[in-house]
Amino acid sequence: MSNSSNKIRSCVLLLLISFLSVGSTVLADRLYAPPYLWDRHIAEKTDPIEIANTHVGIPYRDDGAIDDRGYFTTFSDPSRFFDTPGLNCSGLVLSVSRFLFNKNWSLQDATRDRLGDSGPSSSSGKDWDFGWDLIFNITEGFPRRIILPGGEGLKPESSDANSLRGFDLQDTRSWQNALDEMKPGCAYLGSISRMAPESGNRLLHYHVVLIIPAKDGSVHLYHATRRSNVHRINIGTQQGLQRFLGQFRSARQDPKRMLLVEAALPDLVTAAESPATDSSAAKPSDKPLVPPAPSVPGPAAQDGPVPEQEQGPSRQIGSPPTADSEKTSSSSPPRDSRPVGPDLVVNHLAGKVFRSLPDLVTHVPGFGDDAKTSLQFWFQNRGNQSRPLEIFLKTPSGDFQVTRAIPPLDRDFRVLYPKDFPGAPQGPIAHGEYLADMRIDGVQWSGDLFEVSVPREAQPKITSVKFPAQVQAGKTFTVLVEAKNAGAESDYGGITISSPDPAGLKILSAKPGKIYGSGSTVLSVTSDRIRTKVPMAERWIELWGEGKTYDIQVQVQAGRPGTYPLFVRCALRGVNVKSSVILMDPASADTVDQQGFPVFVYQVTVR
């Protein structure tokens, strides 16, 4: 952190945006973007999802915010500036909202104590309703409503943070009702509240989120957490919603609650005006702030040059490099093949029933046979009359339609694609999106958007291992390991480093990460829990996103002279395979660590 405001101000960029509203052009508030967001082209974004995505990956910082001049700071001390990006959940929601709503709130405006009941002398504690105040301050002045089962007509002006807390956070039925009401063109700000036993059992509105529905039917939730930094989850899918709810499990006797406020977005037809056209705008910095990284940057530049002959895993590369003690060894182990679950899946993206027909029932489309060579539309007609059915289907291969009559009292009426659709190409089902529009008596009844695709699996990959090939006895050195999820987003994963001979290589510390000393209880391949015989370092990551790279720096002390093995591996929980299956890199090896997991083996010579 730097306390020099001049240093910070020299890096801040002015963003000036004009919005075209209905019938007229209105000059927007002046919005300031730090270099971090400028480098992610925030000035060019008009789609709400793309605007929010520029914030994904920003590291978590307690109380972290961006003020109305574009400086990374804190809510509690706006005079404190940071050279590096960092936001907490409130800072994220406020920053994205400025660009969504075209309004440059100050920190004071956004956090205003609306009812004067959460000041320093409040009996409930200072800022106990911080999240509640924030979401209503931001949405004030915009068309808005409260999303709550049975809460039609509720107004924040006649409520307070005690009486208006929303629905049970873990109630999936309430979530489904809320998701059914969400629509593109609106943003949804949420406040999670709980009773805090550690603070005298007082109520806290302690976490906020931002939800943006997309035109393709997905619903993206953005928030910032200590474990996962700023990230997004598609809660429009059952898997995504459960992943989000899993981050906020609560005791049965003390359920957390979610309050959602819908606010209509302005007509975001934007034209970005170059900062250079405004005399008060600072020029882009030649050296922007460090991009966000969920881990501490590695000391690669200080480790020395990489040897010409890289040191790979002992099972793959024969002779070790002839490097002196100042050089480092690095590797990029090859990817191992892994099963990726079923060959083909149907993912339901969105659906809507436009009118109620009590005698008719339908399910979401699925495969019509075990070989997955057809798609099935299934119906029940519980009435005494035949009902004319039309299905209009947009597919990757073209548009097709079919007309059928659902017989009366038929509980298993099926229409198959491509078999029953005239002109549809026969053969394997094409991958891609399908849009089905179903009509009864010539009137639109229901619609479904779904896709046929090969499921993507998580894929752990060790991308770099750096360490000194030779070290002096008694000296401490750094092992830097980087790993990437080269596949689909996984719930969790980790990077693990150990050495079977602590007398030669003694693991001292990990940053970030944790040291499990001898005798620690850990999981193993053969049993649920074992006691470690030697120390190990591990960094565990919740919600390991697609394409995300994490690292761990481990300090190791060289012991007595000799050559000693260093074990490295990473793991990810599978997505399409059973939840208990952990995918590994390496997937298999001749050598395993004390937990029974296959490892890459590297040799370190102590002189």
Side-chain angles (χ1 to χ4, degrees):
M1 189 204 68
S2 169
N3 289 320
S4 171
S5 60
N6 289 334
K7 180 179 179 181
I8 299 291
R9 292 174 189 274
S10 67
C11 295
V12 177
L13 306 172
L14 174 65
L15 175 62
L16 191 61
I17 300 180
S18 296
F19 290 87
L20 299 178
S21 60
V22 178
S24 64
T25 300
V26 179
L27 187 62
D29 280 0
R30 286 186 175 182
L31 302 177
Y32 294 81
Y36 180 92
L37 294 178
W38 184 268
D39 290 343
R40 281 148 187 79
H41 305 287
I42 186 71
E44 304 166 18
K45 308 299 182 185
T46 59
D47 180 79
I49 296 291
E50 292 183 0
I51 289 171
N53 284 347
T54 60
H55 291 68
V56 171
I58 292 180
Y60 184 89
R61 175 176 291 136
D62 283 334
D63 203 38
I66 299 175
D67 68 11
D68 57 338
R69 299 292 294 179
Y71 308 145
F72 283 104
T73 182
T74 62
F75 284 102
S76 59
D77 185 3
S79 65
R80 187 183 189 194
F81 300 118
F82 293 83
D83 289 328
T84 55
L87 294 173
N88 71 353
C89 60
S90 301
L92 167 69
V93 170
L94 173 57
S95 180
V96 176
S97 295
R98 286 187 179 117
F99 294 95
L100 292 181
F101 293 99
N102 179 35
K103 189 172 178 62
N104 194 21
W105 292 278
S106 68
L107 298 183
Q108 294 74 21
D109 290 339
T111 61
R112 175 173 60 91
D113 184 3
R114 296 178 62 82
L115 302 179
D117 57 356
S118 53
S121 59
S122 170
S123 59
S124 299
K126 182 181 178 181
D127 290 337
W128 64 274
D129 59 351
F130 190 92
W132 193 91
D133 283 335
L134 183 82
I135 66 173
F136 283 120
N137 286 336
I138 289 176
T139 57
E140 191 167 37
F142 295 91
R144 66 180 178 183
R145 65 188 181 106
I146 296 166
I147 304 296
L148 179 63
E152 292 79 6
L154 276 176
K155 295 184 181 299
E157 293 77 11
S158 57
S159 307
D160 59 38
N162 277 301
S163 62
L164 185 56
R165 293 180 57 198
F167 56 85
D168 186 333
L169 179 65
Q170 299 296 327
D171 185 352
T172 54
R173 179 174 296 180
S174 292
W175 269 110
Q176 191 56 57
N177 291 337
L179 289 169
D180 289 343
E181 292 193 47
M182 293 182 181
K183 54 185 179 292
C186 292
Y188 298 81
L189 282 69
S191 172
I192 300 177
S193 59
R194 68 181 180 93
M195 304 304 294
E198 72 276 11
S199 301
N201 207 38
R202 64 187 176 97
L203 176 63
L204 292 177
H205 282 262
Y206 75 103
H207 189 79
V208 293
V209 302
L210 176 66
I211 302 173
I212 306 176
K215 294 180 180 178
D216 63 2
S218 57
V219 183
H220 298 280
L221 182 147
Y222 297 82
H223 68 149
T225 63
R226 285 185 173 86
R227 291 184 175 180
S228 301
N229 302 320
V230 174
H231 62 282
R232 77 171 188 174
I233 305 173
N234 180 9
I235 61 171
T237 66
Q238 182 178 3
Q239 181 188 36
L241 179 60
Q242 290 302 319
R243 183 172 297 157
F244 169 67
L245 297 183
Q247 297 176 328
F248 293 92
R249 297 296 182 196
S250 56
R252 292 183 180 179
Q253 66 276 15
D254 181 27
K256 297 180 173 72
R257 303 192 72 82
M258 168 65 85
L259 175 63
L260 291 173
V261 179
E262 174 191 271
L265 298 176
D267 292 328
L268 299 184
V269 182
T270 67
E273 188 173 320
S274 170
T277 63
D278 191 290
S279 60
S280 63
K283 295 181 179 180
S285 169
D286 293 332
K287 187 176 182 181
L289 296 182
V290 179
S295 57
V296 178
Q302 301 174 359
D303 286 340
V306 176
E308 292 182 4
Q309 181 180 5
E310 295 185 344
Q311 179 177 353
S314 59
R315 65 183 177 89
Q316 295 177 337
I317 298 178
S319 58
T322 56
D324 60 35
S325 60
E326 294 182 358
K327 291 186 177 181
T328 61
S329 298
S330 64
S331 72
S332 296
R335 180 179 303 172
D336 291 293
S337 61
R338 298 178 174 84
V340 294
D343 296 331
L344 214 58
V345 294
V346 172
N347 294 320
H348 190 252
L349 303 177
K352 184 173 178 60
V353 175
F354 296 96
R355 62 177 180 142
S356 176
L357 299 175
D359 290 339
L360 294 181
V361 178
T362 185
H363 287 179
V364 298
F367 289 115
D369 59 289
D370 292 339
K372 302 179 180 178
T373 61
S374 64
L375 295 172
Q376 170 185 277
F377 301 89
W378 177 90
F379 307 90
Q380 285 187 356
N381 182 0
R382 299 171 180 174
N384 295 319
Q385 295 183 346
S386 175
R387 303 301 295 269
L389 166 71
E390 296 173 280
I391 303 177
F392 299 86
L393 186 63
K394 289 183 176 293
T395 82
S397 304
D399 298 348
F400 309 98
Q401 67 182 78
V402 63
T403 301
R404 288 286 188 272
I406 311 178
L409 302 177
D410 190 330
R411 295 183 174 270
D412 190 22
F413 185 78
R414 302 166 189 259
V415 178
L416 298 179
Y417 172 84
K419 175 185 175 183
D420 297 330
F421 285 76
Q426 304 300 307
I429 298 296
H431 296 193
E433 288 191 354
Y434 291 72
L435 178 63
D437 178 13
M438 288 167 278
R439 304 191 177 199
I440 298 293
D441 300 325
V443 180
Q444 191 174 40
W445 173 36
S446 65
D448 287 286
L449 177 65
F450 59 96
E451 68 174 358
V452 176
S453 65
V454 175
R456 301 187 66 250
E457 184 53 271
Q459 191 169 27
K461 172 71 175 175
I462 298 287
T463 57
S464 176
V465 179
K466 296 182 179 180
F467 60 94
Q470 297 182 7
V471 294
Q472 294 292 325
K475 297 292 185 180
T476 298
F477 63 95
T478 298
V479 178
L480 173 63
V481 178
E482 293 180 349
K484 180 180 181 179
N485 178 8
E489 179 182 81
S490 172
D491 284 347
Y492 54 75
I495 309 169
T496 307
I497 301 173
S498 62
S499 175
D501 193 344
L505 299 177
K506 182 180 180 180
I507 294 178
L508 300 177
S509 64
K511 183 180 181 182
K514 181 178 179 180
I515 299 297
Y516 295 85
S518 300
S520 299
T521 301
V522 296
L523 298 177
S524 77
V525 171
T526 56
S527 62
D528 286 342
R529 297 182 182 277
I530 62 167
R531 296 281 184 179
T532 55
K533 296 180 180 179
V534 297
M536 55 178 266
E538 187 167 73
R539 179 182 184 184
W540 203 246
I541 298 105
E542 299 283 351
L543 198 66
W544 196 327
E546 177 180 348
K548 295 288 289 185
T549 296
Y550 291 91
D551 66 16
I552 181 174
Q553 294 183 71
V554 177
Q555 297 299 310
V556 182
Q557 185 177 44
R560 61 194 179 199
T563 299
Y564 302 96
L566 189 69
F567 293 168
V568 177
R569 63 178 174 87
C570 74
L572 284 172
R573 173 177 165 172
V575 176
N576 298 304
V577 293
K578 292 181 179 180
S579 61
S580 59
V581 174
I582 300 297
L583 305 176
M584 302 294 304
D585 189 29
S588 62
D590 295 334
T591 304
V592 298
D593 61 12
Q594 60 190 331
Q595 296 171 266
F597 291 104
V599 293
F600 292 117
V601 181
Y602 303 88
Q603 303 294 334
V604 179
T605 299
V606 179
R607 301 169 64 181

